[in-house]
Amino acid sequence: MRSLSVIIPVFNEEKTLKAVITGIKLFQPLEIIVVANGCTDHSSKIAKENGCIVIEHTEKLGQHLARVEGAKKANGDVLLFLDADFALPFSELQQFLTSILFENCDVTVNQNPKEHPSTEVWKKIVAEWKGHKECGKGSFCKAPFALTKEVLVKSDFIKSTYSVEAFIETLKVAGRIEHRHEIDTKTLNRFRPSHHNGFFHKISCSEKRVIKEHVESISKELLRDKRGGYKDAGRNREILAIQNYNVQKGWGVSSTLYGGQQLSVIVPAQNEAKYIKSVISQARQLEPLEIIVVINGSTDETEEYAKSLGATVVLFEHRLGHDVGRGVGASLAQGDILLFVDSDFTIPAQDLFPFAKAVQSGIDVALNKQLDPLTHPVPLWKYALNVACDHKKLETSSLVAVPHAMSKKVVESISYSALAVPPLAQCKAMKEGFLVEAVHAVDVHKLNAIRLRGHFAQQGYPPTTELIVGDFFEAIHYLAKL
């Protein structure tokens, strides 16, 4: 059986520390290392009286850096990290440690059954990104967790600044990871109003700290590739800098529907002759100043049909790639309100109108209201980005989905090029203080066509999912630089 070192960071935990030490002594560890950082109570004295090795720092290091200090001194084959503010039941710790002590795994993490969804999604994202989806919401953000001394030496755990960064570095070298344990540390932990002050759509200070650690840790990995290793699927973003387009003007109306403001409808299209007539016909009922159809790489009758219905046509011989057409259309739009729809399915006018009216009423970005289950990478990322930008109430609503609308002033502020990467555009709008709301629900999942090449893959993510996930990494790259 492997030898065990126990590492316990401590900051003024004299009320609970003895119980934690007493409980872990039942496992007869090689050593218990208490890292007292910034303590002003009797924590150090209690640790020494109970036979622990005590490392004292006058300043408060923070939990992770205190763990690192303890790890540097550890001599055991296995390093177990515990918190000092609550003692874990012996039976649960016994199950937690069995595999790693008997050399059946290299790392063991806890799946807290009462994890906050706002932090759970970030943990799942990191694990899946690094090829360990099985870890789920297990991580090093919250004790208990354990790893072998060998993994510690091979990884950059000691050099890490955050617990998330340490976990990422460990995943790179770890072989067998035990992830089936569910110890409810949330119930055992002491409630601190100043830390756990989340309510309704507000996230707590504790949640914000964990999310910030994830953003910062992921951003370090994005220095080499801001898309996190995911392909861009041939987007022609450079075209947005040219703005010298082949434009054939159509017609529109000056409407009184929007309180003196005017509406532009933007429709990217590639070989969409099947739907473009009905898409434009529904948009016409909103009395738009213009309908801009950005046709790229088409070989069918999309252009002729769009012109016949009076749309302004912007023509490109080659395809622009996903969402670039939105930026092109927005750069040409004359309206105060910009409504974005797709051309491969038809949304009734009555379901488009609320988005335009929402912007007229003062909402800067009007999103399609979505509440998708957090079982697929894309909803996970949508929710993760929203909570990271302190917009938890948006749930999984995102600019990734049409229809959506925004004011011209938002587009001019965040840049037309940002529209080519919807999560980046949304992140910019939220962080620049614009009012972003989910205003109306349209079930586009039922309307959108299934494409075998885009939505299926034998290995890894399907191409469409890979594109969208890469877009979210770009948003995180931007967010981390603020």
Side-chain angles (χ1 to χ4, degrees), residues 454-466:
H455 296 134
F456 293 92
Q458 287 185 332
Q459 292 182 337
Y461 290 152
T464 300
T465 300
E466 181 168 347

Side-chain angles (χ1 to χ4, degrees), residues 227 235 237 323 417-426 471-472 474-475:
R227 292 186 60 81
R235 263 193 197 116
R237 305 190 197 193
D323 305 312
S417 60
L419 296 182
V421 186
L424 175 61
Q426 183 174 335
D471 288 353
F472 276 103
E474 284 199 46

